[in-house]
Structures are given as structure tokens and as C-alpha cells.
Amino acid sequence: MDWQDLIFKFVGGLGIFLFGIKYMSDGLQKSAGDKMRGLLEKYTSNPILGVLVGISVTVLIQSSTGTTVLAIGLVNVGLMTLRQAIGVVMGANIGTTMTAFIVGIKIEEYALPIIAVGAFFLFFIHKKRYQYIGQIIFGFGTLFLGLGTMGGGLKPLRELPAFTDFMIELSHQPVLGLIVGTVFTMIVQSSSATIGILQTIADEGMISLRGALPILFGDNIGTTITAVLASIGATVAAKRTALVHVIFNIVGAILFTILLPVVYNIVLWLGEGVNIRMQIAYAHGLFNVTNALIFLPLIPVLAWIVTKAIPGQMQEIQFKAIYLDERFLATPAMALGQAQHEIVRMGQYAYESLQDATGFFFNKDTKSAELALQKEELVNELNRKITDYIVKIHQKGLSPGESEKATGWFQTVSDLERIGDHAENIVELGEFRMTNKLELSAEAAAELKEMIEVANQAVNKALVALEHNDKDIAKEVLQLELKLDDLEIEYRKNHIQRLHKDLCSVGTGSIYLDLLTNLERIGDHSKNIAQFVLHE
């Protein structure tokens, strides 16, 4: 047996297979547009809708792990509640069966022509929409090319007594199969890949359907490791979401392993007349759909269990506007008051995004960067929702005074959104600094920290003045903005002097000046908010 050929074909085929899934997934995401965030945004407390959202997002990105990690990220920053995330996780497990069904089609012999069609779209048609379609087709063909390569490499194993004996042993020892599937998926960190390999081995006649089923169930346990890793160092809520994923898959795998004879007969009945690869896909679908149906009524119980298992306080904030109730539009004056509450809430997220961004710039903590960007996304979303709501208020008819006030709110919302944008800019500056290993001088760092402190005060006081219509605090914001202007002029002069003395590099200097500019403009937007309060 040529072990080198076997290993090279298996590893290379696996790489081509994973590339095919990723490339097809990227094409699906691009052609679908920015639907994932929209799907999660429209999510409500309805568990059934949550399952459907999880299925949809997973079909788009072709990765249940990716959807689960995304849900954990949203829970981590309070943009999704624990109960919402449980539904999404259940749906993600169902959505990931799509890959197994694709593999079950068994069209390796047509892989190269499919790749050729995808390449034609990619290289000879320049419209973006058709290029995305080409990417989907190319990835689809590459997926099967990888499967064919893996299958060709693994064929000689059928002649190896030790391997065939081990496969027979797996058929008689379901628990061993469960362990093998779990460990293998933990290593590869992709249940789609390990199930694809399992389908290929079964198709080559190396393992029976009965022997493959416990491995399949183990694959579903192994895929939870990525979610667990994603929750390390995250909030209590994120850890609870990861634990739900673990409980959901482990309990399901144990239950299906205990009922293996029954499951085996059901799969044979469902998959009568189809190839073994498709039978494994049916088994995968049966496992996840049945599991979801069992646990769907138990979501409150799951939430209670993980809350007891991981104690601690958690903040749950809906990833949507919470004050913009359409029913208030009948009374425009009340609707304006609701809009004000939402604007203050939006401002709080912009302020927190700025704090996280500046914290990341100095501490190089990537979690702070993620928090800053996620909160900035929420600020953008609230900007759109509040603007639409105020437009609807205008359409209902306002008095001249109310109309003027609503116009001022438009500008305030824009200023808050721009503060969020500057926070994003600061994150990008921090990432550039980390990537290029640029270090600030002690003097430059001290100057930036002072300016950041003043900018934070300006934003915070502007929000307080806005919420309470406090004109005295609004005047303080104007003084802080003047101080920021003075500090920027002074620190730019200091920077030039450091350059002349060769105490600062050009790369570091560029970051320093960009950060000064962003902080000064944050002061300008705070000033605009304060002036709106003063002129009300």
C-alpha cells in the first residue's frame, strides 16, 4: 500500500472539499446580500421563528458552527436574549444538514465540467450578480472534486485487515463510534467535513450504515467545541448559549444512540432506493429535526438549567428599537417623546462603542474591538429605524414648533451615528497599529489619553444634556469642545517637534494624527448636540 499517496490524496481532497464549501458559502452570502443581520434583527421572542432564522442563516453560510458563534457574539454584547439564541442554535443544527444532502447527490464524475461552468461565469461575465453565481457553481464543483479525491485516496484501505476489522468493530460498538465521531470533529472543527468524509467512506463500502450512524451522532457532539471556544472569556450570557448548544447535541446523540435499532430502521425506510451517502444525509436530518422538535417546548427549561449551571448577572437587550411603537404615531407629540428615548439609547451605544474602541487602541484587547464594532452596527441600525420613525411622525402632521424639533432630532441622530463611525475608525487605527507593531512614545500616548478623556466627557455630557434638556451641562460641552480644539493644535505642534528630533516614526505619526482628527471631530458632533439642546 502506498501510504504517501493515500495521505496526500486524503489531506489534499479534504482541503479541496473545505475550500469548495467556503467558496460556495461566500458566493451564497454575496448573492443573498446582507440578509443574515437582517434575519437576526427581525427575530422575535417566538421560538419557532428563531429556529427558522437559524436554518436560513446556516443555509446561507453553510456552517452551523458559524451561525452558533454569530449568535454567541450577539448574546455577548446584549443584542440577543438567551431564549432567542436557543432557537437560533436549534435551527442552525437543522440548516447544516444541507451540506450532507448536497454530498449525497453523488455527482463526482461531473465535478470538472461544473467547475468549468463556474470558471466561465467568474472570468468571462463581469456583472457582479453573475460572478457570485459563478462562485457558487465553482464551489459546488470543487466540493465534489474534493470528495472524489478523498474517495480515491481511501480506496486502498479496504484491503487493510486492521482497518476493516476496526470498521466492523464500530458496527458492534455504538459507543466507540460515538467517541470516534466526537474526537474527529473536535480536531477538524467542521462537522460538514467529517460527515462528508463519513459519507465517502461509506460509499466506498468501508463501513455499513449501522456503523456510520453512531459516528454521525458523535460528529454532532464534536461540532460544539468551536462554540465553547468562542465563549471563553465572553459574558455569562454567551457562555450559557454555548452550554445550550452542548446540552442540545449531547442529549440528542445519547438518545439516538440508545434508540439506534429504531433509528436505523427509520433511516432505511426513509432512504429506500437511494445511495448510502443520501441515507446518511437523511439520518443527519432526522437527528437534528427530531432533536429540535423535542427541545422546542423545553426552551424555558433549557434556559433555567444553563442559568443555574452558570450563575451570574447578564444584560439582555433586544437588537431592535424598543421605544419606537407604531401605535404612538396617532399622537405625534407622544411619538416624538418615544423617538427621544430611542435617540438617547442610541447615543449610549455610540458612547460605549467609543470607550471600547479607545480601550482597544491602548490595551490591544480584541474583544474590546469586537464589542466596539458590534455596538457601532447597532448604532447604524438604530439610525435607520429612528430616521424612518421621525419621517412617519412628519407625515402625521406636526405643529411648527414640533416640526422644528423633529428636524433637530434628525441632525442629532446623524451626529450620534458619526460618533459611532469615528469609534470604528479608531478600531481600524488600533488594528493597523497592532499589525505593523507600531509603538507610541510615552509623551504621545499621554497626550492621546488626555484628549480621549476630554472627548469621552464631551460625549457623555452631551447625552446627559440631551436626555434631561439640561442647558447648563450643554454649555459645559461647548467648553470641552473648545478644549479639544486647543489640544489638537497644541499636540500637532508637539508631534512636529518630535519628528524633527527623530523621536517618532512616520508610521506611528500617521496613526497619532489620524486619532487626533477623529477625537476633534467627535468633539464637533458633541457640540452640535449641545447646541440643539441650547436652542430648544
Side-chain angles (χ1 to χ4, degrees):
M1 182 178 291
D2 187 345
W3 284 102
Q4 179 177 300
D5 183 66
L6 188 153
I7 292 169
F8 282 8
K9 282 185 177 177
F10 175 73
V11 174
L14 178 60
I16 295 169
F17 176 81
L18 290 171
F19 171 79
I21 291 177
K22 180 69 170 65
Y23 202 62
M24 183 173 70
S25 163
D26 289 345
L28 284 165
Q29 289 182 55
K30 289 172 184 174
S31 61
D34 189 20
K35 295 277 172 52
M36 289 176 294
R37 175 65 72 176
L39 285 169
L40 290 166
E41 171 214 334
K42 291 182 176 66
Y43 183 76
T44 69
S45 58
N46 185 336
I48 296 173
L49 187 57
V51 172
L52 295 176
V53 168
I55 293 170
S56 303
V57 173
T58 306
V59 168
L60 280 177
I61 68 175
Q62 286 293 293
S63 170
S64 62
T65 300
T67 304
T68 304
V69 170
L70 177 61
I72 286 172
L74 291 172
V75 172
N76 190 47
V77 293
L79 304 183
M80 182 183 284
T81 66
L82 176 62
R83 291 193 180 190
Q84 287 174 330
I86 292 173
V88 172
V89 168
M90 289 179 179
N93 280 17
I94 296 172
T96 195
T97 61
M98 177 64 70
T99 308
F101 279 104
I102 290 171
V103 172
I105 298 170
K106 197 178 178 182
I107 52 172
E108 285 90 324
E109 58 190 281
Y110 300 108
L112 292 176
I114 292 170
I115 289 171
V117 172
F120 176 81
F121 275 89
L122 284 168
F123 293 104
F124 297 104
I125 301 178
H126 299 294
K127 285 187 178 179
K128 284 289 182 188
R129 182 166 172 247
Y130 290 105
Q131 288 202 329
Y132 297 153
I133 292 170
Q135 190 171 340
I136 295 166
I137 296 170
F138 190 91
F140 185 71
T142 307
L143 183 155
F144 284 102
L145 179 64
L147 280 173
T149 306
M150 275 195 293
L154 293 171
K155 271 182 183 177
L157 287 175
R158 287 184 298 187
E159 301 165 9
L160 192 67
F163 182 80
T164 54
D165 290 345
F166 181 65
M167 290 294 112
I168 292 168
E169 185 68 19
L170 286 178
S171 300
H172 299 299
Q173 298 288 339
V175 175
L176 181 60
L178 198 69
I179 294 168
V180 168
T182 302
V183 173
F184 192 31
T185 307
M186 281 182 173
I187 294 169
V188 178
Q189 288 202 28
S190 169
S191 61
S192 295
T194 52
I195 293 169
I197 293 167
L198 180 64
Q199 287 172 293
T200 304
I201 291 172
D203 194 47
E204 294 295 337
M206 299 180 202
I207 190 170
S208 66
L209 175 63
R210 194 181 183 95
L213 291 179
I215 299 175
L216 174 69
F217 305 148
D219 289 338
N220 283 278
I221 297 175
T223 195
T224 63
I225 188 64
T226 310
V228 171
L229 292 173
S231 71
I232 294 173
T235 62
V236 170
K239 289 175 181 174
R240 288 173 183 170
T241 306
L243 181 57
V244 164
H245 191 216
V246 173
I247 292 171
F248 181 76
N249 282 16
I250 287 178
V251 172
I254 292 171
L255 182 64
F256 268 66
T257 303
I258 292 170
L259 299 174
L260 184 59
V262 177
V263 174
Y264 174 69
N265 288 320
I266 293 172
V267 173
L268 282 180
W269 174 70
L270 288 172
E272 187 178 357
V274 300
N275 63 70
I276 192 169
R277 281 184 5 187
M278 191 59 82
Q279 286 178 331
I280 291 173
Y282 283 149
H284 192 32
L286 177 68
F287 173 86
N288 286 301
V289 172
T290 305
N291 219 15
L293 290 173
I294 291 169
F295 280 99
L296 199 55
L298 301 176
I299 285 180
V301 178
L302 272 174
W304 180 82
I305 290 170
V306 296
T307 301
K308 291 295 181 183
I310 303 176
Q313 295 296 316
M314 59 186 252
Q315 183 184 18
E316 293 187 340
I317 303 170
Q318 300 283 340
F319 183 62
K320 61 181 182 181
I322 60 176
Y323 295 108
L324 306 184
D325 193 326
E326 298 279 332
R327 289 171 293 187
F328 284 108
L329 292 173
T331 313
M334 288 185 67
L336 264 183
Q338 294 301 108
Q340 180 180 354
H341 290 313
E342 199 66 60
I343 290 167
V344 170
R345 178 170 172 257
M346 173 187 173
Q348 191 58 41
Y349 279 115
Y351 176 58
E352 289 177 15
S353 180
L354 174 61
Q355 289 184 307
D356 290 329
T358 52
F360 164 68
F361 184 87
F362 283 105
N363 303 327
K364 301 178 183 178
D365 179 7
T366 54
K367 282 192 173 57
S368 294
E370 290 170 9
L371 285 170
L373 294 176
Q374 287 171 325
K375 289 173 184 175
E376 198 274 331
E377 281 184 32
L378 178 56
V379 167
N380 289 342
E381 190 61 32
L382 289 177
N383 172 37
R384 289 190 287 271
K385 288 186 176 297
I386 294 168
T387 301
D388 290 344
Y389 193 75
I390 295 176
V391 167
K392 289 177 182 176
I393 296 173
H394 264 294
Q395 291 170 348
K396 294 291 181 181
L398 293 170
S399 67
E402 288 172 338
S403 181
E404 185 179 348
K405 185 176 182 180
T407 302
W409 285 124
F410 272 125
Q411 181 57 49
T412 299
V413 168
S414 176
D415 283 313
L416 292 172
E417 192 272 335
R418 291 295 298 139
I419 289 171
D421 288 344
H422 288 301
E424 184 179 9
N425 293 344
I426 293 169
V427 170
E428 290 171 357
L429 290 172
E431 288 173 343
F432 182 82
R433 180 188 173 203
M434 281 180 65
T435 303
N436 294 279
K437 298 179 180 178
L438 300 172
E439 293 299 330
L440 296 165
S441 66
E443 185 181 350
E447 290 171 352
L448 287 176
K449 284 178 180 177
E450 182 181 359
M451 199 158 174
I452 285 168
E453 177 60 31
V454 177
N456 277 331
Q457 285 182 32
V459 175
N460 187 42
K461 286 181 180 292
L463 290 174
V464 172
L466 185 69
E467 184 175 7
H468 302 289
N469 196 30
D470 192 319
K471 298 188 187 305
D472 290 333
I473 294 179
K475 290 174 184 176
E476 291 179 27
V477 175
L478 301 184
Q479 295 302 313
L480 288 167
E481 192 274 335
L482 286 174
K483 185 175 180 180
L484 280 171
D485 288 344
D486 293 340
L487 287 174
E488 189 203 16
I489 294 168
E490 179 187 344
Y491 291 163
R492 280 183 182 274
K493 289 178 182 177
N494 293 349
H495 173 64
I496 292 168
Q497 290 176 1
R498 284 194 293 271
L499 282 175
H500 287 158
K501 295 176 184 177
D502 201 24
L503 297 174
C504 180
S505 69
V506 175
T508 306
S510 173
I511 291 175
Y512 175 86
L513 292 175
D514 281 349
L515 189 49
L516 284 185
T517 301
N518 277 282
L519 293 170
E520 189 274 331
R521 288 178 182 168
I522 286 168
D524 291 342
H525 293 298
S526 301
K527 175 185 173 183
N528 292 342
I529 295 168
Q531 287 178 331
F532 168 66
V533 173
L534 289 169
H535 291 103
E536 264 201 292

